[in-house]
Amino acid sequence: MSILYTASVVLHLTAVLIWIGGTLFIALVLFPVVRRLQPPDLGSRIVREVGLRFRLVGWACIGVILVTGLVNLLAHGIPFGHLFTWAFWTTTFGRTLAVKLSLVVAVLLLSIFHDFVLGPRAARLAREGNPAARGVRRAVNILARVNVILMVAIVAAAVVLVRGLPRA
């Protein structure tokens, strides 16, 4: 195993841990705490500030994950050109990679919608005192939960990709 591959895997896993760990922290720790804060707008301000800060960290991690993921594939012995052949995608590794990449695309699209459309809309409506803010916030929470489930599925696909399926 080369030093480049080891460094790439370490960076990849660290970025994944920060991204998924941060998402879980927000869902499992931050939200339950801020719901109990008084006055209620204090919780909204904290969530907004933490969300904006984590958005920068999260998207930086996504960039690292994408770059190191490609490096890991190349270092794993898969030439870049293979990614454009039907034969590669019909292998067990190729099919598993296709599942993982499909999940990654789904998470990226949901994250873009969450971070740049729905989240800001919920914040704007809350600032305006619009009663629709509650419903939009609920949609943001549901979207975030779906994203966390998909992130865990990505980790499962990554484990299968590297370790293979368990034998009965």
Side-chain angles (χ1 to χ4, degrees):
M1 191 179 313
S2 75
I3 292 174
L4 173 64
Y5 178 64
T6 301
S8 181
V9 169
V10 168
L11 280 172
H12 191 81
L13 292 175
T14 301
V16 168
L17 289 169
I18 292 168
W19 184 40
I20 295 176
T23 302
L24 288 171
F25 171 81
I26 290 170
L28 300 174
V29 177
L30 181 66
F31 283 148
V33 168
V34 298
R35 281 190 192 114
R36 295 189 308 258
L37 293 178
Q38 293 300 324
D41 74 312
L42 174 61
S44 296
R45 287 193 338 255
I46 290 171
V47 168
R48 184 173 52 254
E49 293 300 319
V50 169
L52 289 173
R53 175 67 182 156
F54 186 69
R55 184 168 68 186
L56 292 173
V57 171
W59 283 102
C61 286
I62 289 168
V64 169
I65 291 165
L66 294 175
V67 170
T68 56
L70 183 58
V71 170
N72 294 346
L73 273 178
L74 297 173
H76 199 65
I78 298 169
F80 189 69
H82 277 49
L83 299 177
F84 301 100
T85 67
W86 182 253
F88 171 77
W89 296 104
T90 60
T91 65
T92 301
F93 188 91
R95 286 191 306 269
T96 306
L97 181 61
V99 168
K100 182 183 176 192
L101 293 177
S102 297
L103 291 167
V104 168
V105 168
V107 166
L108 289 176
L109 292 174
L110 289 176
S111 295
I112 289 167
F113 186 64
H114 175 277
D115 291 357
F116 301 108
V117 178
L118 208 53
R121 180 171 180 226
R124 181 179 45 78
L125 292 172
R127 276 193 311 274
E128 295 169 356
N130 189 322
R134 185 180 185 110
V136 175
R137 254 194 319 250
R138 190 174 302 121
V140 168
N141 290 336
I142 291 168
L143 184 64
R145 288 180 179 129
V146 168
N147 235 8
V148 167
I149 291 167
L150 293 176
M151 287 175 179
V152 172
I154 291 169
V155 171
V159 169
V160 171
L161 199 59
V162 175
R163 299 286 184 187
L165 286 170
R167 302 209 195 305

